[in-house]
Amino acid sequence: MPQQISLIALVVADYDEAVAFYVEKLGFTLTSDVPQGDGKRWVVVTPPGSACGLLLAKAVNDAQAARIGDQTGGRVGLFLSTDDFARDHAAMSAAGVRFLEAPRHEPYATVAVFQDLYGNRWDLLQPA
């Protein structure tokens, strides 16, 4: 099997509130929620049809907590591709997802930046 990225860790404040955001507002699937003892859980959410998911990693110390919502220094660090930008933008907007700009057309995609529940910046994009 060729190499592929299977998970990306995202530091969160609370497992359940993060799961609720990604499942209810973005339409991801909860693909794993396994207790590991001492309050730790292996929690993975995955966009429909994607081979790569997010491992929701609860912050366990001050250094990790300080990075919640700004894991990429204010840059867009996560990219959610779609085959129907208008559909997903409308559904996400209706669910209360905060978009930071109006949709724009770039040579590579139709794109708009949004924030997750902690302020991490994402691109919603439909490749050109």
Side-chain angles (χ1 to χ4, degrees):
M1 180 168 100
Q3 293 180 340
Q4 65 179 343
I5 295 173
S6 60
L7 291 172
I8 298 171
L10 187 66
V11 180
V12 301
D14 180 83
Y15 293 119
D16 294 325
E17 72 181 5
V19 167
F21 177 85
Y22 287 102
V23 171
E24 295 170 14
K25 296 190 182 286
L26 299 189
F28 288 20
T29 300
L30 177 62
T31 51
S32 182
D33 189 350
V34 179
Q36 294 185 295
D38 294 327
K40 287 184 71 175
R41 293 159 48 189
W42 181 265
V43 179
V44 177
V45 292
T46 309
S50 179
C52 184
L54 291 177
L55 173 67
L56 303 179
K58 185 177 176 181
V60 296
N61 60 42
D62 290 343
Q64 291 174 10
R67 288 168 177 68
I68 294 170
D70 191 26
Q71 294 178 87
T72 57
R75 293 186 56 105
V76 170
L78 298 158
F79 302 83
L80 182 60
S81 294
T82 178
D83 63 352
D84 189 334
F85 183 92
R87 175 199 66 213
D88 291 341
H89 183 268
M92 291 166 62
S93 295
V97 173
R98 181 171 176 236
F99 280 88
L100 302 179
E101 64 181 3
R104 58 188 158 78
H105 301 283
E106 298 292 345
Y108 60 91
T110 300
V111 62
V113 177
F114 70 94
Q115 289 182 312
D116 69 14
L117 73 164
Y118 298 115
N120 293 301
R121 292 173 179 244
W122 288 68
D123 271 357
L124 174 65
L125 56 92
Q126 180 176 353

